[in-house]
């Protein structure tokens, strides 16, 4: 790889051993990818504070410097970690202190995470603690090179915001945070951002539920390639676009999609494909919609629901409001729990707006920072859960060994109140 003079200086130790280790990692990473050079970034979304037994052991041996060196820099050297070179945020992590007594999550992990937040906050890491950093202030601009983790965040950054990132990992984002560099390959290169599949939507897609089904179809069809979606689409809300991307990144590995006239790099179909010929369209109609619905509900057997999960990716404040209104004057079934997962910054808004009070009065909970998939933690005894998230319906049964039902927010709220699943495809 070709390095600039300042990159060579960092690699040679001019800014200290931790930065040199970070640059060494990026050079090895870039060479493995056949990247010709590094690109400058000024925005990192990674993970440092998430607790684990391995991390606890490293902290006991050498503090958080040791943990960052091993996990975030792939280095066994005894390094002192400097301040972050570029703006860096922590994505979703483990449950926080407000979950104690609610989520069966180890208290020692809550305490370890609190200690991590103090350490990394002093180093310049913004503890946003969400898989949707774009909902709480981290909004890169169109064309900006960034280094982000988390599949649903990556696909949103590339597609909706027009920023440029690959789906990075713990070590590459750690190295990027100390250097302001990342290998320039994949989605960073203009020629790799054009579409290569065309999907023609032949039935109305109007709400959150149907955007999720469409996303699940798109990801299953194109896998890791770049779809262009046209047809009978309503103008989407923020929640619709994050649901579409999260579903497509779950059933496939989509990191970038285009909706002509909606997403910033695709004013037209021709612009979405650039110099490439527009391919023959693949239809999405009633049979494809039903097939996706049946796939997402294929792991549900019992209609007795003991857990309802909303907010994956983390719920927007509008979604919390909808849930609160759907619960007003109602009470959860005695054997069913409801968790709504949000960024902590939006939980503060929900608290002030009265939504949290309505949800808790019904027996539900608004929890921040994490999710059952990330923390591998659901209410004790959970056997069957219901969700409006295609992503959680896809992953959580395998992670926790439980059954899943997928449906609308209203169907999920009804299940929380009755203790039974009665959803159906309409």
């Amino acid at each position: 790889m070709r390095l600039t003079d300042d990159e060579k200086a960092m690699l040679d130790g001019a800014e200290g051993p931790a930065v040199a280790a970070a640059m060494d990692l990026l050079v090895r990473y870039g060479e493995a990818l056949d990247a010709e050079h590094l690109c400058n970034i000024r925005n990192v979304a990674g993970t440092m504070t998430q607790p684990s037994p391995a991390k606890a052991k490293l902290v006991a041996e050498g503090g958080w410097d040791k943990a960052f060196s091993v996990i975030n820099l792939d280095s066994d050297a005894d390094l002192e970690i400097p301040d972050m070179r570029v703006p860096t945020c922590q994505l979703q992590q483990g449950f926080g202190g407000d979950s104690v007594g609610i989520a069966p999550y180890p208290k020692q992990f809550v305490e370890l995470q609190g200690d991590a937040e103090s350490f990394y906050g002093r180093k310049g890491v913004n503890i946003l603690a969400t898989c949707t950093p774009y909902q709480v202030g981290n909004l890169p601009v169109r064309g900006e090179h960034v280094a982000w983790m988390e599949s649903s965040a990556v696909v949103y950054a590339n597609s909706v915001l027009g920023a440029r990132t690959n789906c990075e990992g713990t070590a590459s984002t750690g190295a990027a945070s100390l250097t302001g560099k990342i290998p320039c390959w994949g989605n960073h290169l203009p020629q790799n951002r054009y579409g290569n599949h065309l999907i023609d939507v032949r039935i109305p897609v109007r709400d959150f539920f149907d955007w999720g089904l469409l996303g699940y179809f798109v990801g299953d069809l194109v896998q890791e390639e770049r779809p262009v979606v046209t047809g009978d689409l309503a103008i989407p809300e923020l929640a619709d676009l994050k649901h579409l991307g999260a579903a497509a990144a779950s059933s496939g590995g989509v990191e970038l999609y285009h909706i002509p006239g909606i997403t910033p790099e695709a004013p037209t179909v021709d612009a979405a494909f650039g110099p490439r010929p527009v391919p023959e369209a693949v239809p999405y109609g009633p049979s494809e919609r039903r097939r996706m619905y049946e796939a997402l509900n294929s792991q549900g057997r019992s209609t007795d629901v003991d857990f309802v999960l909303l907010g994956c990716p983390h719920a927007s404040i509008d979604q919390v409001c909808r849930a609160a209104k759907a619960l007003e004057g109602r009470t959860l079934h005695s054997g069913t729990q409801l968790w709504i997962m949000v960024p902590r910054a939006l939980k503060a808004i929900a608290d002030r707006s009265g939504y949290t009070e309505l949800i808790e009065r019904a027996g539900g909970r608004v929890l921040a920072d994490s999710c059952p998939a990330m923390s591998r933690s659901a209410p004790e005894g959970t056997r069957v859960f219901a969700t409006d998230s295609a992503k959680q319906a896809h992953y959580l049964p395998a992670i926790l060994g439980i059954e899943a039902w997928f449906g609308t927010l209203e169907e999920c709220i009804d299940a929380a109140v009755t203790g039974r699943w009665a959803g159906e495809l309409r």
Side-chain angles (χ1 to χ4, degrees):
M1 265 199 327
R2 299 192 308 271
L3 299 182
T4 63
D5 289 344
D6 71 309
E7 291 163 355
K8 291 176 183 176
M10 283 191 274
L11 182 62
D12 291 340
E15 297 190 23
V19 174
M23 186 56 68
D24 175 71
L25 184 151
L26 293 173
V27 169
R28 289 185 284 122
Y29 178 35
E31 289 176 344
L33 296 167
D34 287 331
E36 294 182 0
H37 57 90
L38 300 172
C39 56
N40 296 320
I41 59 166
R42 56 183 184 184
N43 186 317
V44 176
T47 180
M48 297 115 176
T49 62
Q50 170 75 16
S52 69
K55 194 170 288 184
K57 184 173 183 291
L58 290 169
V59 172
E61 292 173 356
W64 286 104
D65 289 292
K66 176 75 170 180
F68 189 92
S69 299
V70 173
I71 296 174
N72 296 90
L73 294 179
D74 187 35
S75 173
D76 292 325
D78 185 13
L79 303 173
E80 181 178 348
I81 306 304
D83 289 352
M84 303 297 110
R85 185 184 184 95
V86 295
T88 299
C89 78
Q90 165 68 37
L91 292 164
Q92 75 271 41
Q93 51 184 19
F95 283 108
D98 57 353
S99 73
V100 175
I102 300 171
Y105 188 69
K107 188 175 181 181
Q108 63 268 30
F109 277 8
V110 175
E111 294 169 349
L112 182 68
Q113 183 170 276
D115 190 48
E117 290 179 2
S118 296
F119 176 85
Y120 286 111
R122 291 193 299 271
K123 298 294 180 181
V125 177
N126 298 311
I127 312 297
L128 300 186
T130 176
C131 54
T132 60
Y134 48 86
Q135 291 197 120
V136 292
N138 188 345
L139 282 165
V141 300
R142 178 180 174 181
E144 181 180 359
H145 295 278
V146 304
W148 280 24
M149 289 177 63
E150 215 290 319
S151 60
S152 72
V154 165
V155 69
Y156 193 95
N158 278 316
S159 309
V160 183
L161 302 179
R164 299 184 176 191
T165 183
N166 297 304
C167 199
E168 297 295 347
T170 303
S172 60
T173 53
S177 68
L178 295 185
T179 61
K181 309 284 182 177
I182 203 73
C184 204
W185 72 290
N187 295 322
H188 292 284
L189 303 176
Q191 64 268 29
N192 293 334
R193 297 182 65 83
Y194 294 117
N196 47 22
H197 291 268
L198 179 62
I199 293 93
D200 180 20
V201 178
R202 298 179 179 178
I203 52 175
V205 172
R206 300 286 183 266
D207 57 21
F208 184 82
F209 172 76
D210 266 310
W211 282 103
L213 287 177
L214 173 60
Y216 206 68
F217 171 80
V218 166
D220 184 60
L221 175 71
V222 310
Q223 292 300 301
E224 296 182 354
E225 297 196 295
R226 298 176 297 281
V228 178
V229 184
T230 65
D232 194 358
L233 306 170
I235 295 177
E237 299 176 358
L238 178 156
D240 300 328
L241 293 173
K242 71 182 174 74
H243 193 27
L244 171 75
S250 300
S251 60
V254 175
E255 296 179 6
L256 171 63
Y257 64 81
H258 299 294
I259 304 177
I262 298 294
T263 54
E265 295 178 54
T268 64
V269 171
D270 287 340
F273 287 99
R276 305 177 183 193
V278 177
E280 182 178 352
V282 176
Y284 175 78
S287 63
E288 289 80 14
R289 179 177 183 261
R290 174 164 291 279
R291 181 159 54 87
M292 293 303 102
Y293 181 81
E294 291 173 350
L296 285 165
N297 283 287
S298 64
Q299 297 178 87
R301 299 288 183 270
S302 172
T303 56
D304 293 326
V305 173
D306 36 41
F307 177 40
V308 174
L309 173 65
L310 304 175
C312 175
H314 278 170
S316 68
I317 196 63
D318 291 336
Q319 290 176 287
V320 178
C321 176
R322 282 181 56 206
K325 289 184 175 180
L327 283 166
E328 192 166 7
R330 306 173 79 182
T331 302
L332 298 195
H333 184 268
S334 60
T336 307
Q337 291 198 45
L338 166 67
W339 293 358
I340 302 176
M341 314 307 305
V342 296
R344 185 163 296 276
L346 295 190
K347 184 177 187 303
I349 297 173
D351 292 348
R352 295 181 70 177
S353 302
Y355 306 147
T356 303
E357 181 183 359
L358 283 172
I359 293 164
E360 291 183 345
R361 188 184 302 160
R365 300 286 185 176
V366 180
L367 298 176
D369 299 349
S370 193
C371 74
M374 186 67 166
S375 294
R376 299 177 179 268
S377 177
E380 290 185 4
T382 294
R383 296 173 297 104
V384 183
F385 90 109
T387 183
D388 66 346
S389 166
K391 181 175 182 176
Q392 287 284 12
H394 180 86
Y395 285 123
L396 205 57
I399 292 173
L400 295 182
I402 58 181
E403 296 178 26
W405 293 109
F406 169 76
T408 66
L409 179 144
E410 290 74 20
E411 288 171 339
C412 290
I413 294 294
D414 287 344
V417 171
T418 64
R420 296 188 63 80
W421 181 253
E424 60 181 358
L425 185 63
R426 295 178 174 85

